Amino acid sequence: MNFISTIIGGLSLGSIYAIIALGYTMVYGIAKMLNFAHGDVIMVGAYTTIVTAATLALPQFLFVSPVVATLISIVISILFCALLGFAIEKIAYKPLRNSSSLTVLITAIGVSMFLQSMAQLLLGAQPTQFPNIIDLGLITITEGLEISGATIVTLVVSTIVMITLTLFVNKTKTGRAMKAVSEDKDAARLMGINVNRTISITFVIGSVLAAIAGICYGMSYPFISPTTGAMPGIKAFVAAVLGGIGSIPGAMIGGIILGLVENLARANQYTAQLSDAIVFSVLIVVLLIKPTGILGKIKQEKV
């Protein structure tokens, strides 16, 4: 039963990595840039939920029911991160659209440091407890096997997010525009697609995914600090590379595999202290054996 619990926990953790990796892979696939500030948007989403929940708990808001307060906290967190993603793209990245990859990368690191510093300045450096916005306690599956409600909620939410995003990209006009921009920006522009608007929408969607990941992460790991998003963000980047960066199904698969590997490593007394090293070793092995990732494709560059 312990093994089954470990697998389920790995699926939950992997689902969080997958949601974050989806944001990475969408931005890279369409804008051809690595947004290393993406992990810090997760932190912002978690902190926004904390602040909103604390505000709604004040005496003057006692007329708001716990269910409504939870929904308000989640919606405000998602909307705030969407606006933040839009602002970051417009202010920091759009002026560098034709700059070198190194310039954009340095800017992304700068944005990451800015978000962490602002969170520390406004909310302090000490970890803050995430509110118990969805209290399901422990759910008994069979005798001796109990799963936390947060794990089940995370699995359900991540599945819904992945299916919705896949349908959005494949079935909607905006989604098809994203795929066109990903293939060839110039050709997409000639076909009447507004490339700048498409890239902005991609950043907004990526930030919404980061907010959802931040909420799910907070439910499972309930102490949030200004650097909370750094390590999950880096691991999600590893997941995106593992699955094939630029591939939405690849990001999902990579996230799930990475979550399982990390949780299995943590469950073993001999490898528990090396779980992070094992995760990053996966990246090295993938880059050596199949640099394009599981579902990645080799693209031929035009000369």
Side-chain angles (χ1 to χ4, degrees):
M1 290 302 181
N2 286 336
F3 178 75
I4 296 175
S5 299
T6 301
I7 293 296
I8 294 174
L11 290 173
S12 175
L13 180 61
S15 297
I16 296 174
Y17 288 157
I19 295 173
I20 305 169
L22 285 170
Y24 270 117
T25 207
M26 285 185 67
V27 170
Y28 179 81
I30 294 170
K32 295 297 181 287
M33 65 160 289
L34 293 173
N35 179 22
F36 278 114
H38 187 65
D40 297 288
V41 179
I42 300 166
M43 173 269 296
V44 172
Y47 266 128
T48 303
T49 306
I50 291 172
V51 172
T52 305
T55 302
L56 293 175
L58 294 174
Q60 55 265 42
F61 292 104
L62 287 178
F63 63 90
V64 179
S65 69
V67 174
V68 174
T70 297
L71 292 175
I72 292 174
S73 298
I74 293 172
V75 170
I76 289 179
S77 176
I78 290 173
L79 290 176
F80 185 78
C81 285
L83 290 172
L84 178 63
F86 181 79
I88 289 173
E89 195 278 329
K90 287 295 182 186
I91 296 171
Y93 298 142
K94 186 178 179 181
L96 303 176
R97 195 82 82 217
N98 297 317
S99 300
S100 66
S101 299
L102 181 60
T103 301
V104 178
L105 180 61
I106 292 172
T107 302
I109 295 173
V111 173
S112 172
M113 294 297 103
F114 173 79
L115 292 176
Q116 289 183 25
S117 299
M118 286 300 296
Q120 184 172 347
L121 180 66
L122 296 173
L123 301 166
Q126 295 301 316
T128 305
Q129 186 165 6
F130 193 83
N132 195 4
I133 58 175
I134 301 177
D135 184 13
L136 298 178
L138 290 174
I139 297 174
T140 302
I141 305 299
T142 58
E143 186 177 352
L145 177 60
E146 292 183 332
I147 302 173
S148 69
T151 297
I152 294 177
V153 170
T154 298
L155 289 170
V156 171
V157 168
S158 60
T159 301
I160 293 172
V161 166
M162 294 173 193
I163 293 173
T164 302
L165 184 62
T166 301
L167 292 174
F168 174 80
V169 171
N170 292 325
K171 301 296 183 181
T172 67
K173 183 178 179 180
T174 303
R176 290 193 291 269
M178 289 178 176
K179 293 172 73 174
V181 172
S182 174
E183 290 294 328
D184 191 322
K185 287 187 180 66
D186 294 329
R189 192 175 285 110
L190 290 172
M191 294 299 293
I193 295 173
N194 189 326
V195 173
N196 286 330
R197 185 178 66 185
T198 302
I199 292 175
S200 294
I201 292 173
T202 304
F203 268 87
V204 169
I205 293 174
S207 298
V208 167
L209 294 174
I212 295 171
I215 294 168
C216 292
Y217 187 88
M219 288 191 299
S220 300
Y221 306 92
F223 286 95
I224 307 299
S225 70
T227 57
T228 288
M231 188 57 74
I234 294 173
K235 289 179 180 177
F237 170 69
V238 174
V241 174
L242 173 61
I245 194 160
S247 167
I248 290 177
M252 301 176 192
I253 294 171
I256 297 298
I257 292 174
L258 209 67
L260 288 170
V261 168
E262 182 176 344
N263 228 41
L264 287 170
R266 285 180 180 174
N268 188 296
Q269 59 177 331
Y270 300 108
T271 59
Q273 300 297 322
L274 299 173
S275 59
D276 287 346
I278 291 171
V279 166
F280 294 117
S281 296
V282 171
L283 174 62
I284 296 172
V285 172
V286 169
L287 292 176
L288 289 174
I289 298 175
K290 197 175 188 295
T292 56
I294 296 172
L295 297 182
K297 298 178 182 178
I298 297 176
K299 292 187 178 180
Q300 306 212 341
E301 300 288 338
K302 296 179 181 178
V303 179

